[in-house]
Amino acid sequence: MTTHYDALETRDPAERERDLFGRLPELLRAAIKAPAYAALLQGIDPADITTRAALAQLPVLRKSELPALHKAAPPFGGFVAQSASAFSRLFTSPGPIFEPEAAHSDPWRGARALFAAGFHCGDVVLNTFSYHLTPGGFIFDASARALGCAVIPAGPGNTEAQFELIEAYRPVGYSGTPDFLKILLDGAAGAGRDVSSIRRALVSGAAFPPSLQAEIKARGVDAYQAFGTADLGIIAYETSARGGMVVNEDLIFEIVRPGTGDPVAEGDVGEIVVTSLDPHHPWIRLALGDLTAALPGLSPCGRTNMRIKGWMGRADQTTKIKGMFVRPEQVAEIGKRHPELGRLRLVVTRAGETDAMTLKAECASPADGLPEALAASLRSVAKLGGNVEIVAPGTLPNDGKVIADER
């Protein structure tokens, strides 16, 4: 059994840098065939962009801007030169942001992340990410199949049916959120169902705090984390070294000062900016709004790409709850639906190792049924359920924050 997915993972870092930046000018030429990139990169000669310093002079494209851009020029905001019919699947995620899936093997670059987590050709994998409209389920499905695994497209929920699938197919691997893995293990223990075949997991889409990591490990499942987005697929992943996350291949990964495109000093916390070398759907300096910091040195596992500490919070107020992004614009939409309200604040916490959220709303004279109406609006806009708390005017801080992540 090989230790690494391929030779790209262990090449000299200088060789990787030469390869990435040697291919970058051609990627830029492909990108500017799309009208939005032609405007964004106007006056740029792709032949000049062959170093990190040169790349850092290009403007960043903020993910938080994509919903408005996609609405103005549907479906992809003018950032894709090809028509929607050139892709294999077409998705949407909250915002809305519209994402296409390229028609080639492992389009989301996840096979090597699964391999690093101990998955191998011939494994049966229970995939519990959603297959409905958003790309999460297909990201891990396509990645597992590219590795040679058989996939059970279970999606989230309906634990009774999942227990039957697990007992029949005996999957060795799990992909999904860490929260749902715990729900499965708890439910099986309570119902006397056998899910002992699951020995390893690749989790993403929600917080995986040390307390939950220890509990999952104690119950016989070796779980690894992956960091990714619906736009780019898998960006970085944990390895057997358990020392941060290794950045994926075919990506140029930068860490910049939030709100700018300027690289931070080595080791400083900053916002993640990614350039992907995919000519079908290039991303040029996409600023994700997520914070991280680079780790010094190389991973003891032998992989030589940059290591990061993992997800360290948000550079803006957009946050991920139960695998779904919730944005300040969505909180504002709830306010528009209920003009009798004052300030709103969505507070995100953990409850029993699960993400939870409470919408706090100021109202001087709340009408009967207002909490229920607000809860319905929250679910309609954010596609997630949450609690509602009506508070007196002036109770919430006047700090401009509408999403407070307290996890």
Side-chain angles (χ1 to χ4, degrees):
M1 190 72 70
T2 58
T3 305
H4 303 104
Y5 182 73
D6 58 23
L8 295 179
E9 295 183 343
T10 57
R11 56 185 162 168
D12 184 270
E15 179 187 347
R16 178 181 293 107
E17 199 83 345
R18 286 192 299 270
D19 174 50
L20 292 174
F21 283 92
R23 294 157 58 194
L24 182 57
E26 189 59 34
L27 177 83
L28 292 171
R29 293 186 189 99
I32 60 179
K33 293 178 182 178
Y37 273 129
L40 186 66
L41 302 176
Q42 187 174 10
I44 300 297
D45 184 350
D48 294 336
I49 313 302
T50 57
T51 65
R52 286 189 177 268
L55 179 63
Q57 300 306 307
L58 301 186
V60 297
L61 172 62
R62 300 204 170 278
K63 181 167 178 172
S64 59
E65 299 170 346
L66 292 181
L69 293 170
H70 283 194
K71 184 176 181 180
F76 306 127
F79 289 98
V80 178
Q82 298 171 291
S83 68
S85 63
F87 296 92
S88 63
R89 292 188 178 94
L90 303 168
F91 302 104
T92 181
S93 58
I97 298 174
F98 299 101
E99 293 109 354
E101 180 184 78
H104 57 75
S105 178
D106 199 17
W108 306 99
R109 307 179 190 85
R112 66 179 70 250
L114 286 161
F115 186 90
F119 292 65
H120 299 292
C121 180
D123 286 349
V124 175
V125 179
L126 180 77
N127 184 30
T128 67
F129 283 107
S130 174
Y131 282 79
H132 179 62
L133 293 181
T134 59
F138 290 93
I139 290 174
F140 286 83
D141 186 297
S143 300
R145 288 189 297 110
L147 188 59
C149 301
V151 180
I152 305 170
N158 197 354
T159 54
E160 278 299 319
Q162 302 237 10
F163 295 150
E164 291 185 9
L165 288 166
I166 295 167
E167 290 177 340
Y169 287 118
R170 308 304 292 163
V172 70
Y174 165 96
S175 56
T177 66
D179 295 348
F180 190 66
L181 177 56
K182 183 177 187 302
I183 288 171
L184 276 180
L185 295 176
D186 287 346
R193 306 300 292 264
D194 182 10
V195 297
S196 61
S197 64
I198 298 176
R199 309 305 297 171
R200 45 189 173 268
L202 185 63
V203 301
S204 190
F208 194 31
S211 58
L212 184 54
Q213 293 178 35
E215 180 175 349
I216 296 299
K217 180 70 174 178
R219 297 170 76 167
V221 180
D222 195 18
Y224 291 76
Q225 300 180 74
F227 170 67
T229 72
D231 323 271
L232 290 154
I234 303 301
I235 297 170
Y237 53 90
E238 203 171 12
T239 77
S240 58
R242 301 289 189 178
M245 293 185 178
V246 173
V247 172
N248 211 342
E249 300 295 328
D250 283 336
L251 300 175
I252 299 175
F253 190 99
E254 301 174 87
I255 303 174
V256 306
R257 289 202 302 273
T260 78
D262 303 328
V264 300
E266 187 174 353
D268 283 359
V269 175
E271 183 178 9
I272 297 170
V273 171
V274 178
T275 297
S276 69
L277 300 184
D278 182 351
H280 304 288
H281 187 198
W283 288 110
I284 311 299
R285 301 204 81 201
L286 181 65
L288 302 183
D290 293 301
L291 298 173
T292 196
L295 290 169
L298 301 180
S299 173
C301 73
R303 293 171 178 85
T304 57
N305 211 342
M306 178 193 297
R307 290 186 302 151
I308 60 173
K309 289 185 177 180
W311 186 80
M312 299 178 67
R314 295 289 297 172
D316 59 21
Q317 294 180 46
T318 300
T319 193
K320 188 178 283 187
I321 305 168
K322 295 182 178 179
M324 301 284 282
F325 278 112
V326 179
R327 307 174 189 280
E329 297 91 333
Q330 292 172 298
V331 179
E333 173 61 26
I334 295 170
K336 291 177 183 177
R337 296 187 183 190
H338 301 273
E340 71 274 24
L341 301 177
R343 296 192 188 103
L344 298 174
R345 192 179 189 93
L346 189 66
V347 180
V348 186
T349 57
R350 297 281 292 178
E353 302 293 4
T354 301
D355 290 344
M357 63 181 182
T358 299
L359 179 65
K360 297 187 177 183
E362 293 184 353
C363 187
S365 302
D368 291 340
L370 178 60
E372 292 77 12
L374 276 176
S377 293
L378 177 61
R379 180 173 288 280
S380 173
V381 172
K383 313 303 181 189
L384 292 168
N387 300 316
V388 170
E389 181 180 345
I390 308 298
V391 299
T395 301
L396 299 178
N398 183 22
D399 58 5
K401 183 176 286 189
V402 296
I403 299 177
D405 192 340
E406 299 179 356
R407 288 173 292 187

